[in-house]
Amino acid sequence: MKYNLIFLSLLLLACLSCKEEGGTKVLYLAHTLPQTHPVHKGILEFQTALEKKSGSKLVVKIFPDGMLGSEREVLELLQIGSVAITKVSAATLSNFVPEYHALGIPYLFRSKEHQFDVLEGPIGKSILEKGEKFWLRGLCYYDAGSRSFYTSKKAIRTPDDLKGLKIRVMNNQMSINMVNAMGGSATPMAYGELYTAIQQGVVDGAENNPPSFVSSNHHEVAKYYTMDQHSSIPDVLIIGTKFWEGLSQEERVWVQEAADESSQAEKVFWNESVEESMKIAEDFGVEIIIPEKSLFAEKTQSVLEGFLKEYPEMTELVNKIKAE
């Protein structure tokens, strides 16, 4: 009941604050990440850049830490025009736009450079615009790193080492199919339960990026981290079309330019966070393993084939990304 009252109060405040105030338009931006997260730092860059470009005609007020709800709840607030902007995972957006789902295909991107060549080029920009029919317009992509395996009792050096291991995954079919294809036993589980589950042997490990591995304290209970980097699902900065359509052409240019600049800044913050996290993990006694990634990629071909069988219309998109 207390949470609902807080939520409703913030929602009312957000509704009021999306209006003009003395010639200034206030853009409410809500997300679920902590303020120490590199993506939040990128959002702060967006806030600063937009205020500077607009001469304070457009001002961003940020609600971090899930103050206005979960990713799904905030997306709904965008759709009805109560909140202007949010940051969500491309995996979440795949519930609306199947093209985002393709970005999670294991080993689709050859490298970080290839990934952002695609995302920041015509292909990525086209995907950002496809959410408009759901009142969700993409502004830019943020680096959310690459997910890799970590385990408690046994090191993963080749896909064969995954056999018989229970690996916690997100509750989506592609993640489940990927781990199973490699020989592991995919085990969907709430993220908040994972530390104890590893500690007590309910699961043998999980997969995530380095900052999440350390910030969740999983490095305390998982002593092997295999940098196979099987998927690189970006985050996306989204503006609600109800707010976007109320902006002038000049204001839209300011918003887009500020978003693009924040995307570049966030990449630097992310890389710094990865380096810091890896050092913390190593200092804590975690063995960092650099495997032959091609061995893992070969095992996931069935995941790609299954995806294209379910979404045959995505074949052209996948081929374009591979050819980029």
Side-chain angles (χ1 to χ4, degrees), residues 6-34:
I6 293 173
F7 178 77
L8 290 172
S9 298
L10 290 171
L11 174 57
L12 176 60
L13 181 62
C15 291
L16 294 173
S17 299
C18 282
K19 298 178 181 179
E20 282 198 40
E21 298 177 356
T24 296
K25 291 181 180 177
V26 181
L27 291 75
Y28 269 63
L29 190 161
H31 67 78
T32 61
L33 298 172

Side-chain angles (χ1 to χ4, degrees), residues 108-146:
L108 177 66
F109 301 112
R110 297 186 297 274
S111 63
K112 185 68 69 179
E113 292 72 25
H114 176 224
Q115 180 187 16
F116 278 93
D117 282 346
V118 170
L119 297 181
E120 294 171 356
I123 296 173
K125 291 177 181 178
S126 173
I127 295 174
L128 290 176
E129 294 172 358
K130 288 184 181 296
E132 288 191 340
K133 60 184 176 181
F134 301 102
W135 308 289
L136 303 169
R137 178 186 175 86
L139 291 172
C140 69
Y141 298 94
Y142 287 141
D143 192 351
S146 298

Side-chain angles (χ1 to χ4, degrees), residues 244-255:
W244 177 260
E245 290 166 0
L247 299 176
S248 68
Q249 186 58 41
E250 183 180 37
E251 289 170 334
R252 292 180 183 181
V253 170
W254 292 335
V255 170

